[in-house]
């Protein structure tokens, strides 16, 4: 079975993330969305909320599942039986960082990295940017699933 991991913090999931996951789901038998637990950062949404939103957003893909992890990505890949990490690249600046990570990952464990260019519709999109737009009263509905947008508005009104 060809299995891949799409890692990230997904705080929150965007249509750019979903574009990469959907495209990866056509290339691999199984895609595992790995939600990084970073204890040094406090996210807008809890890990459980992110997993719930990702499961809802990817429910139409029979070969996609969601799990959380902490520690090294390569250890998570090994535990999941995945030999490939799929990363979306928005710009050359993403490549500079991601190439270093890919080279370290293959050196540590032999896990390969597939770089997938982002759909141009989402080349500027990030979770941080979406949060900022919503925080300041803007409309981010074109960039996240409807239910994520609703949760963003509700959460940011509370803060």
């Amino acid at each position: 079975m060809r299995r891949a991991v799409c890692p990230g913090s997904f705080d929150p999931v965007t249509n750019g993330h979903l574009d990469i996951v959907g495209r990866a789901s056509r290339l691999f038998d199984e895609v595992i969305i790995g939600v990084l637990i970073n204890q040094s950062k406090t996210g807008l949404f809890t890990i459980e909320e992110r997993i719930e939103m990702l499961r809802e957003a990817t429910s139409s893909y029979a070969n996609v599942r969601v799990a959380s992890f902490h520690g090294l990505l390569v250890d998570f890949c090994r535990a999941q039986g995945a030999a490939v990490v799929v990363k979306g690249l928005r710009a050359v600046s993403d490549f500079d960082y991601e190439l270093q990570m890919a080279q370290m990952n293959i050196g540590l464990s032999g896990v390969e990295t597939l770089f997938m260019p982002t759909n141009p519709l989402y080349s500027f999109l990030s979770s941080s940017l979406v949060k900022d737009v919503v925080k300041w009263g803007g409309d981010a509905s074109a960039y996240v699933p409807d239910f994520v947008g609703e949760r963003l508005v509700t959460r940011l009104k509370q803060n």
Side-chain angles (χ1 to χ4, degrees):
M1 177 177 277
R2 294 172 308 141
R3 190 174 285 144
V5 170
C6 289
S9 58
F10 305 100
D11 189 32
V13 61
T14 68
N15 291 341
H17 294 130
L18 296 174
D19 176 61
I20 297 297
V21 169
R23 289 162 56 201
S25 75
R26 294 190 299 271
L27 299 174
F28 295 94
D29 299 316
E30 183 178 35
V31 175
I32 302 133
I33 300 173
V35 182
L36 174 64
I37 300 170
N38 186 343
Q39 294 172 335
S40 65
K41 280 182 149 181
T42 303
L44 181 63
F45 293 102
T46 67
I47 296 298
E48 293 76 19
E49 289 171 320
R50 292 181 221 172
I51 289 171
E52 178 186 319
M53 286 188 283
L54 281 159
R55 285 183 177 148
E56 185 173 342
T58 60
S59 63
S60 63
Y61 299 109
N63 64 333
V64 173
R65 64 184 170 90
V66 184
S68 63
F69 75 99
H70 64 278
L72 294 175
L73 174 58
V74 294
D75 291 340
F76 178 70
C77 289
R78 189 177 304 117
Q80 299 297 319
V84 178
V85 171
V86 176
K87 297 292 292 192
L89 296 178
R90 296 170 292 192
V92 172
S93 56
D94 286 350
F95 181 75
D96 289 341
Y97 173 76
E98 296 296 348
L99 179 62
Q100 292 175 19
M101 296 302 294
Q103 290 169 330
M104 180 60 76
N105 288 343
I106 199 163
L108 286 172
S109 68
V111 170
E112 293 285 357
T113 301
L114 170 67
F115 294 125
M116 190 174 286
T118 301
N119 181 320
L121 293 172
Y122 308 120
S123 63
F124 62 91
L125 189 56
S126 70
S127 295
S128 298
L129 185 57
V130 167
K131 287 185 282 195
D132 284 345
V133 166
V134 173
K135 177 182 174 183
W136 297 109
D139 179 10
S141 61
Y143 310 116
V144 294
D146 290 342
F147 71 92
V148 172
E150 292 165 9
R151 290 181 79 162
L152 266 171
V153 169
T154 301
R155 180 61 50 92
L156 289 169
K157 281 184 181 178
Q158 295 172 353
N159 288 344

